[in-house]
Amino acid sequence: MVAENINRIKQRLPPHVALIAVSKTYGAESIMAAYSAGQRDFGESRPQELLQKAAALPPDIRWHFIGHLQSNKVKMVAPRACLIHSIDSAKLLREVNKACEKLSITAHCLLQVHVAQEEAKFGFLPGELLDYLRSGEPATLRSVRLCGTMGMASNTSNMEQVRGEFRLLKQLHGQSKALAPQPELFTQISMGMSGDYPIAVEEGATLVRVGTLIFGGR
Ligand SMILES: *Cc1c(COP(=O)(O)O)cnc(C)c1O
């Protein structure tokens, strides 16, 4: 089942879009079924769970951290994550930079933008994001590499609203890229989940984060 689901989704993705299998809450067996089908990019949203899985599962898996990251968990996550999608504040980016400096590593990061019409979601507001990039601070953080933007659309059946939010994210991505410390590295747009990834791809996603459609209901 898992392998078929992965193949079906991959067939629909253009070659420039990577599939991240969101494995949070699913066990090693499900992950290994995906791995056997060739899947190497997996998304986790809890630090402890990511660490346990990374220790137990094949070393060539690329673990993406997609959940809200608390300051005290940065040290745990930074060495294990190939990409942190969920940098939702200037403070968090500073903390990731500080932790990586100590560990002599570089963290690849996406800036999470709040584009949904929902209070509960995390992220920079569009204006905050651009102001932060204009502030010049990001260029001083030498142990993080800004690779793009991430966002989530509202949890609604109104697909025109969802499309509008993805379109806004794509537009903000373009503006951010121009202001980023290394624009040539600012290439990734992480958007789209099980319910809306085809729309996200149409609107310019380069990474889609799909869980339920691959592994079944949580
Ligand atoms: C859980 C989660 C997903 C995947 O959601 P599905 O609806 O199961 O595809 C994607 N992105 C984030 C940030 C998540 O927390």
Side-chain angles (χ1 to χ4, degrees):
M1 271 301 279
V2 166
E4 287 159 31
N5 294 341
I6 284 189
N7 290 329
R8 184 160 9 86
I9 295 166
K10 274 199 182 155
Q11 274 163 20
R12 290 197 187 167
L13 295 178
H16 66 274
V17 180
L19 173 63
I20 297 167
V22 176
S23 49
K24 64 181 186 208
T25 77
Y26 299 101
E29 212 171 298
S30 300
I31 295 174
M32 284 313 295
Y35 182 88
S36 302
Q39 183 66 29
R40 291 295 180 272
D41 291 280
F42 291 86
E44 289 289 336
S45 59
R46 298 224 164 99
Q48 194 63 42
E49 194 176 339
L50 187 156
L51 255 65
Q52 282 166 357
K53 288 175 176 174
L57 291 162
D60 60 339
I61 288 182
R62 291 182 292 271
W63 297 101
H64 295 250
F65 191 79
I66 62 173
H68 178 59
L69 183 54
Q70 290 171 310
S71 308
N72 59 339
K73 301 290 165 63
V74 166
K75 282 200 296 291
M76 286 166 71
V77 169
R80 289 280 175 209
C82 71
L83 185 62
I84 301 173
H85 291 230
S86 42
I87 300 293
D88 54 14
S89 69
K91 178 170 169 277
L92 178 60
L93 189 64
R94 260 175 242 138
E95 275 159 2
V96 171
N97 182 67
K98 198 167 78 183
C100 289
E101 218 162 46
K102 283 196 192 133
L103 295 163
S104 300
I105 58 174
T106 302
H108 293 70
C109 297
L110 304 181
L111 299 169
Q112 181 172 355
V113 197
H114 185 126
V115 290
Q117 308 271 311
E118 281 167 27
E119 299 265 316
K121 299 215 155 76
F122 291 100
F124 288 87
L125 294 174
E128 281 174 0
L129 174 73
L130 299 176
D131 284 347
Y132 180 56
L133 289 166
R134 284 192 195 104
S135 75
E137 182 182 288
T140 68
L141 306 177
R142 297 308 174 95
S143 299
V144 295
R145 184 168 296 164
L146 293 182
C147 301
T149 47
M150 179 273 217
M152 277 190 262
S154 297
N155 185 9
T156 169
S157 57
N158 180 347
M159 287 300 145
E160 285 319 299
Q161 183 182 340
V162 167
R163 185 180 295 281
E165 291 168 1
F166 286 149
R167 196 164 286 180
L168 172 61
L169 182 58
K170 163 81 182 179
Q171 189 198 334
L172 287 164
H173 175 89
Q175 291 171 291
S176 302
K177 182 181 175 77
L179 298 165
Q182 295 169 287
E184 71 283 4
L185 303 177
F186 201 91
T187 53
Q188 303 293 338
I189 309 181
S190 170
M191 61 184 186
M193 318 191 342
S194 290
D196 54 23
Y197 83 88
I199 300 176
V201 170
E202 284 169 15
E203 297 300 330
T206 64
L207 301 169
V208 293
R209 310 178 309 269
V210 179
T212 317
L213 265 190
I214 294 174
F215 297 111
R218 238 172 237 115

